[in-house]
Amino acid sequence: KKYLKSENRSEEKVVISYLFPGSLINQSEIISPGGIISKINGIKINNLKDCNKALLKPIYSNKKYFITIDTDDDKYVVLKLEDIFKEELYLSSSYNYEISSIYKQLIKKVSGKNKSKKNSIKNSSKKKSNKRNNIKNSSKKTKKISNK
């Protein structure tokens, strides 16, 4: 309602124009068409370019990724990225639209992070295992030296 007045229309804003019936965001009944998105993932947004950048920085918590959305009327939604991915495939098929490049970039980015996290966990486990083996080997050498 604030933006119906001409003096409040000088700034760029991201306005929710439509929500697919049955979608997660629509079912939440928190955000509705006409609402203005002020932040995504805690990052202030003013236009679609800002929106796209913020979407590519999902929140990582408890080994899962999330997208958070704040509106200018203090509404807040948290969506699990895994659920968004599944729903996007279903909606794009049901409503016959092409998956966006942002979706493709996000899924690639998250998949890459998961692989690198798994690799870093494996590598740290290998390093710990190697350290344990080195400690065992060095203690055996010490015993051998002390027995002479």
Side-chain angles (χ1 to χ4, degrees):
K1 294 179 183 184
K2 172 183 172 183
Y3 297 101
L4 293 175
K5 296 179 183 177
S6 61
E7 64 267 13
N8 295 325
R9 291 189 216 162
S10 60
E11 296 178 27
E12 290 181 297
K13 298 291 177 187
V14 176
V15 179
I16 301 164
S17 61
Y18 182 79
L19 297 173
F20 285 110
S23 65
L24 292 171
I25 197 92
N26 193 13
Q27 288 176 3
S28 75
E29 297 183 356
I30 296 170
I31 293 179
S32 57
I36 296 172
I37 299 174
S38 58
K39 291 182 184 177
I40 294 179
N41 300 328
I43 301 166
K44 187 176 184 216
I45 64 162
N46 294 311
N47 53 45
L48 289 178
K49 187 176 181 180
D50 294 343
C51 186
N52 290 340
K53 284 181 185 178
L55 284 170
L56 292 172
K57 296 178 181 180
I59 306 294
Y60 186 75
S61 178
N62 296 322
K63 299 181 182 180
K64 295 192 185 295
Y65 287 96
F66 299 88
I67 297 291
T68 63
I69 301 170
D70 291 86
T71 65
D72 71 339
D73 58 348
D74 297 323
K75 293 180 181 175
Y76 183 76
V77 176
V78 178
L79 300 167
K80 206 177 345 172
L81 196 55
E82 179 182 337
D83 294 341
I84 293 170
F85 286 157
K86 288 176 190 173
E87 182 177 68
E88 184 66 12
L89 292 174
Y90 168 76
L91 290 173
S92 67
S93 173
S94 298
Y95 291 96
N96 199 27
Y97 66 86
E98 193 174 319
I99 299 275
S100 72
S101 63
I102 292 298
Y103 174 91
K104 291 174 186 174
Q105 289 174 48
L106 186 55
I107 203 161
K108 188 175 181 179
K109 183 175 184 174
V110 170
S111 297
K113 281 185 179 180
N114 283 339
K115 285 179 186 175
S116 67
K117 283 182 186 197
K118 287 178 185 174
N119 287 339
S120 68
I121 290 168
K122 284 181 185 176
N123 289 339
S124 72
S125 296
K126 283 181 185 178
K127 286 178 184 176
K128 286 178 185 175
S129 176
N130 287 341
K131 282 182 182 179
R132 282 190 215 114
N133 288 338
N134 289 340
I135 291 169
K136 285 179 186 175
N137 291 338
S138 68
S139 63
K140 285 180 185 176
K141 288 177 186 174
T142 307
K143 286 180 185 175
K144 285 180 185 177
I145 293 170
S146 62
N147 286 339
K148 286 185 178 180

